[in-house]
Structures are given as structure tokens and as C-alpha cells.
Amino acid sequence: MKGAPVRHALEYAVYLGLKGLLLSLPHGAARALGRGLGRLAYGLDRRHRQVAAKSLRLAFPDWQTERIAATSRACFAHFGESFCDAISSLRFDRVESCRRLSVEGWENLEDAERDGKGVLIMGAHLGDWEAVVKPLALYRGDLHIVGRPADNPHLNREMRRLRERFDSKTIDKHNAARPMLRALQANQKVGILIDQRVLPREGIAVPFFGRLAWTTPVLAKLSLRTGAPIVPTYAFAEPEGRYRVEFHAPIRATAGGDPEADEAAVVERLTRLYLEHVEAQIRRCPEQWLWLHDRWKNAPEATSE
């Protein structure tokens, strides 16, 4: 893209300035600054404000305009806080990072590990999802994170440093199949966020908040092929700069349904189960999900049953 190197350099300079400021502040103040920046973005970013309102209306058709606007504002504030929190947390070493973690459902992860087939960590853009990496990397050290590289190469390096600082590894989603298989065959863990829109040619249409949405079938296909169970995992910010990470009960490829069904039907059934789980968690705290993302863009018109 013409002019991209200059734009990337400017973006990186702004990022470095913000990073320096955040690391000079107490962690709580860095979080508060993030909330303020998020509220400022709500006022300035008309396009994403409209996307958030549209998405909330689709997901919650019975909500009044005032509640949609309030949730949109809270969503912007939350993601401003999460972004600044992730940068500010770079100050914490391994010991301090462990001290700030509260983990719920560790037995669910251990249950999945006992299968000996690797574990698929299913996450979503909910809460402080980057914090999911911490207990897995700190206590297990065998996590591979699948994600799309940032368009800005300078910021992409920063993202990799953030995610790999406790020995986890990143996998480029564009060339992910073989690395994911190798990790699972080595009885390791692969983390994937399932809640974002994919291209129709790459996904299947399954219900999400009562409407069909293009969703990646990769988790279901990997679970079927390798036998690796899915462990839904979410993270949330807690007071005093702490984090709560939740490991939920494993979902195995044999969960519910007709064992004689063809693979496509099983993949659709499993993917429905995964999105139902994510949706239930979003309903707990809707202001902490990424409504700024146009999840139902280009989706089939039919409303799911």
C-alpha cells in the first residue's frame, strides 16, 4: 500500500509514546487512563460507534435505545482499559504475574490433559482475553496461540513480544494447519479465538445470538481429527490489578448428536455448541465483548431457529 511505511512508522511512534506513559504510571492509573481513552474514542469514532449499536440491536432486539447506547459506551471504555492493561502488565515478571492471577476450574484443564491428545483452548474477544495466556504459559509452557498478524509490522512485533514473553508461541492463522497439528500431536495446547467473522468460503453459517453467522470450523475439524478436547477459557480483570481466568468443562468431539452422522454434520453440530458456550458467557457481561466488530456482515439472511 502506497504510503504504508510512513503510516506504520507514525503509528509505531504513537504506540511507543503511549507505552512509555503507561509504564510510568501505577498499574491502576494505566487502567483508568485506558477507560478514559476508550470513552474518548466512543465520542470520536462514529463508524465503530455505529457498528457497535447495529450489532447490539441484532443481538438484543428487545433492548431500548438508551441501553444500547450505554452498553456501547461501556464497551469502548472496556476495550480502552484492556488495551492499556495489556501494555502496562509488561512491568510484571513471572513471580508478580503469578501472584496477580486467580484461576477457576483448573481441574477442567487437567481433565482434558489426561486424554493425552493435546488440548484446544477456545477463547473469545471477551473480557481481558490476552490474560488467558498467562496461567497456561507460566504453569504449563506448552501453549501455541493462533492469530492474524497485525498489518503494521512494528506493532506486530510488539504483539508477538506480549504473547510470547512467558514462553508461549504464536502461529500465523494464514499458515496454521500444520503447526497446530504438530502441537496437538506433541500433546501440547493450541489457543484459538472463535467468535470473529470469517469469509463465507472459509466458514460455516451457525447460529449466534439467534442469527446465522459465518464461523470458522477449524476447532471442530481439529478436535475430530486428533481427538483433542476443547476447553472454553475466558479471562477478566479484577480489582487491584488482578486477573481471573476461568477454565470450563471440556467439550469432546463425541459430545451429543448422532455418532453415525457424516463429518460435515458433526462439524456443524460441534461449532454450534462452541458458539452457544461463547454466547452464554457474553450474556453475563455484554459490555465486555467486541461489539465494534461487524460479526454478522455478509451472513445469510435467515434467522436461526
Side-chain angles (χ1 to χ4, degrees):
M1 181 185 297
K2 185 177 180 180
V6 174
R7 177 167 56 82
H8 290 164
L10 289 172
E11 290 172 347
Y12 187 51
V14 171
Y15 168 81
L16 289 178
L18 178 61
K19 179 180 177 181
L21 173 61
L22 292 171
L23 292 176
S24 72
L25 296 172
H27 187 56
R31 280 183 170 183
L33 175 61
R35 288 193 296 274
L37 291 175
R39 295 186 187 105
L40 178 63
Y42 177 81
L44 297 176
D45 190 346
R46 182 171 179 268
R47 183 171 71 86
H48 284 101
R49 189 169 67 241
Q50 290 176 334
V51 170
K54 171 189 169 185
S55 299
L56 283 162
R57 282 194 297 269
L58 290 173
F60 301 103
D62 57 329
W63 279 17
Q64 299 298 314
T65 301
E66 293 78 8
R67 186 172 183 185
I68 288 174
T71 304
S72 295
R73 284 194 297 272
C75 175
F76 272 80
H78 167 72
F79 281 97
E81 176 182 349
S82 295
F83 175 72
C84 290
D85 180 282
I87 298 172
S88 177
S89 68
L90 290 169
R91 73 185 73 204
F92 303 136
D93 61 13
R94 290 174 179 269
V95 173
E96 183 62 17
S97 294
C98 290
R99 191 184 72 80
R100 289 174 177 268
L101 281 173
S102 300
V103 179
E104 298 179 4
W106 195 261
E107 68 279 5
N108 291 319
L109 179 64
E110 293 176 333
D111 177 16
E113 289 176 325
R114 281 193 287 271
D115 289 8
K117 298 178 179 180
V119 179
L120 287 159
I121 302 295
M122 182 187 79
H125 292 82
L126 175 68
D128 275 38
W129 71 87
E130 294 287 356
V132 166
V133 174
K134 294 178 181 179
L136 293 164
L138 287 165
Y139 297 119
R140 288 298 192 266
D142 60 356
L143 176 65
H144 302 256
I145 307 158
V146 179
R148 176 184 175 277
D151 294 332
N152 185 321
H154 310 298
L155 295 180
N156 188 57
R157 287 195 300 272
E158 290 287 327
M159 287 173 55
R160 288 183 67 102
R161 289 192 193 104
L162 176 66
R163 292 170 177 168
E164 295 181 348
R165 60 193 297 256
F166 295 132
D167 302 327
S168 57
K169 301 173 180 65
T170 54
I171 297 174
D172 184 341
K173 69 172 291 186
H174 300 302
N175 301 287
R178 289 184 180 178
M180 287 191 292
L181 279 172
R182 284 197 297 268
L184 294 173
Q185 289 165 354
N187 196 23
Q188 296 180 339
K189 298 170 187 65
V190 175
I192 304 176
L193 302 178
I194 195 178
D195 57 331
Q196 297 292 272
R197 183 186 73 248
V198 298
L199 296 173
R201 67 174 181 271
E202 299 173 345
I204 56 176
V206 293
F208 188 54
F209 283 91
R211 294 178 176 272
L212 296 177
W214 293 113
T215 305
T216 179
V218 166
L219 272 171
K221 288 183 176 180
L222 278 172
S223 185
L224 276 173
R225 178 169 177 177
T226 65
I230 307 288
V231 176
T233 308
Y234 310 96
F236 302 92
E238 297 274 84
E240 300 179 3
R242 296 183 60 81
Y243 307 88
R244 182 180 81 257
V245 179
E246 302 175 357
F247 295 106
H248 291 248
I251 303 173
R252 294 178 168 86
T254 54
D258 179 4
E260 302 301 320
D262 63 30
E263 181 177 341
V266 175
V267 166
E268 181 181 353
R269 170 176 55 80
L270 289 172
T271 306
R272 280 175 174 253
L273 280 177
Y274 305 155
L275 277 194
E276 286 171 3
H277 201 290
V278 169
E279 180 180 329
Q281 303 311 307
I282 294 171
R283 288 181 180 276
R284 290 169 52 192
C285 47
E287 73 285 354
Q288 294 194 38
W289 189 65
L290 193 60
W291 299 104
L292 288 66
H293 170 68
D294 195 351
R295 183 64 178 91
W296 292 274
K297 183 178 179 180
N298 298 327
E301 291 295 329
T303 301
S304 65
E305 296 180 358

